Amino acid sequence: MKKTIMSLLLFLGVLSASAQAEQKGTTEYVFQPHWYITLQGGGQYTLGEGKFGDLLSPTAQIGVGYNFTKVVGLRLAVNAWQSKGVIKLDDTDMTPAQSYEGKWKWNYVAPSLEFTFNLSNIVCNYNPNRLLNVYALIGGGANIGFKNDEAQTVENQIIAYQNSNSNLVYDGKQNMRYLWDGTKVRPFGKAGLLFDFRVSDKVSINIEGNANTLSDKYNSKKAGNWDWYFNALAGVKINLGKTYTTKFIPDPEPEIRYVEKVVEKVVEVPAKVEVKPIEKMRRDIFFTINSFKVRETEAEKIKDIADYLNANPRAKVEVTGYADAGTGNNRINDRLAKQRADVVVKTLMNDYNISANRIFFDSKGSRVQPFAENDLNRVTICIAE
């Protein structure tokens, strides 16, 4: 008895799975708000009059963010390590060997709060399977500078040069008038771009460039303008929790039409002829990425549709083109889906002499996805009945 019940349950499960497999519809991606963390390292360029290489220094950044919507998010980032400064002193009577160039470095920690905007979702609509997402970020915070001892050493050397050379050119633009020691806290503004390359739903690799501006007193020199430093960073982003869910939208059930049956009295009843209903035919013609060329393996499916239409003169066919949402944008995918449907229509008409009034033509671009698997949506679906 127990074996009989188990067999019955298994049979019912198979029937249920089969019914679900035959159900047709589209899959929609639904954004889920989520947290993430970023870990990055790279280099910094502190703006100044020295050589480019003399003003490069290491930098690192850690961030924690939350994406509220598919476009807007907020990130708390802590950038830190090292900045550099250079000052040059020249005298008209000095030889090159007598000229002076002072270099120094100091450390900093700069926490900031930044708004992030997903530009890819703004331009190309939301797609969690997109390979590259581009973000803009803007915000600000507090720069905490410390260990500025080397700047004091440079100032002492400048004073010695001044005492020994009365013709030393040392004007206000190159003055160490804003020399500071200890720990200094200054507000700063920040803006940049971040390029996020998807590896999986959880992990992505990113490249970030940002510009930071703060008061003229940051690098100890009086220049009469705001000080700047620029960061180039690369690292990893880890999403915490689900970033999206999928929703299956089944196709609507076909409309049932009722026809009133009229019975007429007849004198003679002819022999009953059984008329079998014509079953509809569906063929899915698949294409490779960014292509609308019919492959040899798929051409046979178009012939099947033509044979069906020739065998059933009253039948018609609906031809619908699609593109996958994982690549391209709506403009590209609308064109590609139309071309995929068009090539099937022309093959039916030109190669198999199917009349145009028996063919219905449509294209959905990537706005409708008939299959859950992304790559299968590079398709033209033909339904003849």
Side-chain angles (χ1 to χ4, degrees):
M1 183 66 179
K2 184 177 180 180
K3 290 184 177 179
T4 303
I5 294 174
M6 292 297 293
S7 299
L8 179 60
L9 291 174
L10 180 61
F11 176 72
L12 292 175
V14 171
L15 287 179
S16 175
S18 175
Q20 292 178 7
E22 294 177 358
Q23 189 177 20
K24 294 180 175 60
T26 59
T27 300
E28 179 180 316
Y29 296 112
V30 181
F31 172 83
Q32 294 293 309
H34 59 276
W35 291 92
Y36 65 87
I37 59 174
T38 56
L39 301 171
Q40 299 166 300
Q44 178 184 113
Y45 172 70
T46 312
L47 190 63
E49 74 269 19
K51 295 179 180 178
F52 182 80
D54 292 338
L55 293 167
L56 291 179
S57 55
T59 188
Q61 182 169 277
I62 184 171
V64 178
Y66 188 78
N67 287 326
F68 297 96
T69 71
K70 59 186 179 182
V71 172
V72 180
L74 191 65
R75 182 179 75 169
L76 172 63
V78 180
N79 178 244
W81 204 328
Q82 191 179 93
S83 293
K84 287 186 176 182
V86 174
I87 189 168
K88 293 182 178 182
L89 303 179
D90 296 305
D91 189 285
T92 55
D93 297 328
M94 281 184 176
T95 64
Q98 293 174 314
S99 62
Y100 173 77
E101 183 177 73
K103 302 176 185 178
W104 68 98
K105 60 182 178 291
W106 67 99
N107 297 110
Y108 73 95
V109 175
S112 61
L113 196 61
E114 305 145 14
F115 286 99
T116 61
F117 303 92
N118 190 318
L119 303 181
S120 297
N121 283 342
I122 293 175
V123 175
C124 303
N125 296 324
Y126 175 65
N127 179 7
N129 296 315
R130 184 182 293 115
L131 176 62
L132 171 64
N133 283 282
V134 181
Y135 294 83
L137 57 93
I138 186 169
N143 183 290
I144 306 167
F146 57 96
K147 289 188 178 180
N148 198 35
D149 301 336
E150 292 185 10
Q152 182 63 59
T153 301
V154 170
E155 173 70 1
N156 293 336
Q157 292 173 348
I158 291 173
I159 293 172
Y161 268 80
Q162 284 180 303
N163 294 335
S164 62
N165 194 323
S166 60
N167 295 324
L168 187 65
V169 178
Y170 184 48
D171 60 24
K173 293 183 178 179
Q174 295 179 324
N175 197 325
M176 297 283 284
R177 188 175 300 177
Y178 291 146
L179 179 66
W180 55 271
D181 59 6
T183 300
K184 295 294 181 182
V185 181
R186 302 177 181 88
F188 74 98
K190 181 177 185 178
L193 288 175
L194 186 144
F195 300 85
D196 200 64
F197 298 88
R198 180 181 182 274
V199 177
S200 67
D201 287 345
K202 292 290 186 182
V203 180
S204 59
I205 303 298
N206 59 56
I207 298 173
E208 178 178 338
N210 58 62
N212 304 263
T213 184
L214 62 172
S215 77
D216 191 25
K217 298 181 179 181
Y218 180 59
N219 65 357
S220 300
K221 294 164 51 181
K222 181 179 179 181
N225 51 258
W226 287 72
D227 287 337
W228 291 80
Y229 60 86
F230 305 89
N231 294 325
L233 301 155
V236 62
K237 172 183 174 183
I238 302 173
N239 292 316
L240 307 177
K242 288 186 176 181
T243 60
Y244 69 94
T245 57
T246 57
K247 182 170 67 174
F248 182 76
I249 304 174
D251 290 341
E253 294 293 333
E255 181 182 358
I256 300 176
R257 297 181 180 180
Y258 297 93
V259 180
E260 183 179 356
K261 184 176 180 181
V262 179
V263 179
E264 297 181 356
K265 185 177 179 181
V266 294
V267 176
E268 195 174 313
V269 179
K272 186 177 180 180
V273 178
E274 183 179 356
V275 179
K276 294 183 179 180
I278 301 174
E279 294 185 0
K280 67 180 180 181
M281 171 181 282
R282 169 173 170 163
R283 290 292 184 269
D284 300 339
I285 297 95
F286 295 100
F287 297 83
T288 58
I289 186 171
N290 198 31
S291 173
F292 58 91
K293 181 180 179 181
V294 178
R295 295 172 289 173
E296 292 184 7
T297 55
E298 302 298 303
E300 189 66 26
K301 298 177 182 179
I302 303 178
K303 183 178 183 300
D304 291 344
I305 294 293
D307 291 344
Y308 177 92
L309 294 172
N310 288 326
N312 301 278
R314 298 180 62 185
K316 297 182 179 181
V317 62
E318 183 176 349
V319 179
T320 308
Y322 300 86
D324 68 288
T327 55
N329 54 44
N330 282 337
R331 181 178 60 82
I332 295 173
N333 290 339
D334 286 345
R335 171 177 54 79
L336 199 55
K338 184 177 179 181
Q339 290 172 327
R340 287 170 177 166
D342 187 60
V343 71
V344 174
V345 171
K346 289 181 178 178
T347 302
L348 288 171
M349 295 174 60
N350 298 335
D351 294 357
Y352 298 103
N353 297 319
I354 304 300
S355 175
N357 60 14
R358 300 180 68 190
I359 303 173
F360 295 95
F361 173 93
D362 195 8
S363 65
K364 303 294 186 181
S366 58
R367 295 176 177 83
V368 176
Q369 300 288 271
F371 297 101
E373 184 176 341
N374 181 71
D375 292 357
L376 294 181
N377 293 306
R378 304 161 188 153
V379 66
T380 295
I381 297 176
C382 301
I383 300 176
E385 58 181 332

